[in-house]
Amino acid sequence: MYRFAKAALNLSGQATRQVRHGSTAPQNFHMKYGNGLIVGGAAFCVAVWSFVLTQTGITWNLSPVGKLQPKPWRQAEEAEEE
């Protein structure tokens, strides 16, 4: 248990020193590549959806209004009697 506690304190001490000196890797990574990744991801998303919407031939049935017409109820009754 003593070794574990000593290792845990050592790790927290290293983390504290990194934060104090500003030498954490994620900050530098985001400063260098953050905007490029966002722009690249947005361009990829737009390119894929442009392809899907224009080239794949998928029929997008957005609204059934005016496409489906119910039979009048009296005609349905007459068809059942026959």
Side-chain angles (χ1 to χ4, degrees):
M1 190 67 171
Y2 175 71
R3 289 182 182 173
F4 176 74
K6 186 177 176 182
L9 288 175
N10 189 21
L11 288 177
S12 66
Q14 288 175 357
T16 304
R17 282 190 295 277
Q18 282 182 349
V19 170
R20 276 192 204 145
H21 296 294
S23 62
T24 54
Q27 254 184 348
N28 293 335
F29 178 81
H30 290 297
M31 298 277 289
K32 285 183 183 178
Y33 306 112
N35 290 336
L37 283 175
I38 289 175
V39 170
F44 178 77
C45 184
V46 167
V48 169
W49 275 108
S50 299
F51 175 79
V52 167
L53 293 173
T54 60
Q55 302 298 317
T56 58
I58 295 175
T59 303
W60 302 92
N61 296 322
L62 299 177
S63 174
V65 174
K67 295 178 183 175
L68 299 174
Q69 297 292 329
K71 292 181 181 179
W73 64 274
R74 292 195 188 271
Q75 288 180 358
E77 269 185 11
E78 292 172 3
E80 287 177 7
E81 290 175 3
E82 291 176 2

